[in-house]
């Protein structure tokens, strides 16, 4: 039932399946954060592996990318706009 609370055991089972998902290691690639489309595709593929349906996978991805829900996501834009620290080379785009 959409919107119904998830029983803790079901949430724990899903967390275990996600932790063991074969595509999980691709999320740790240094390239994943350089391309928004690759980032989204990789996450959605990883979520599909353990049997997460497309609607839930999309909702999880959206929630993880929402700066209001994920305080770690809010530092990306200011970081990209800040000048490089003295002596630290910055890659040219």
């Amino acid at each position: 039932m959409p919107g119904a609370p998830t029983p803790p055991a079901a949430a724990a089972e899903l967390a275990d399946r996600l932790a063991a998902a074969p595509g999980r290691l691709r999320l740790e690639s240094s390239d994943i954060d350089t391309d928004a489309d690759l980032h989204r595709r990789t996450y959605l593929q990883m979520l599909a592996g353990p049997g997460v349906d497309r609607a839930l996978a999309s909702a999880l991805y959206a929630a993880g990318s929402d700066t209001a829900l994920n305080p770690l996501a809010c530092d990306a834009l200011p970081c990209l706009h800040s000048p490089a620290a003295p002596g630290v080379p910055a890659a040219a785009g």
Side-chain angles (χ1 to χ4, degrees):
M1 167 185 308
T6 301
E13 178 190 344
L14 176 58
D16 289 345
R17 288 193 327 235
L18 290 173
R24 191 174 189 292
L25 292 179
R26 288 181 293 173
L27 300 178
E28 298 174 16
S29 164
S30 60
D31 294 335
I32 188 118
D33 291 328
T34 62
D35 181 307
D37 187 50
L38 173 65
H39 189 270
R40 181 175 174 76
R41 275 194 332 262
T42 302
Y43 267 83
L44 293 178
Q45 288 170 356
M46 189 278 298
L47 291 168
V52 175
D53 69 55
R54 191 161 189 76
L56 178 56
S58 292
L60 290 170
Y61 184 82
S65 300
D66 185 338
T67 58
L69 300 173
N70 182 353
L72 297 178
C74 69
D75 69 345
L77 193 58
C79 183
L80 292 173
H81 287 289
S82 68
V88 177

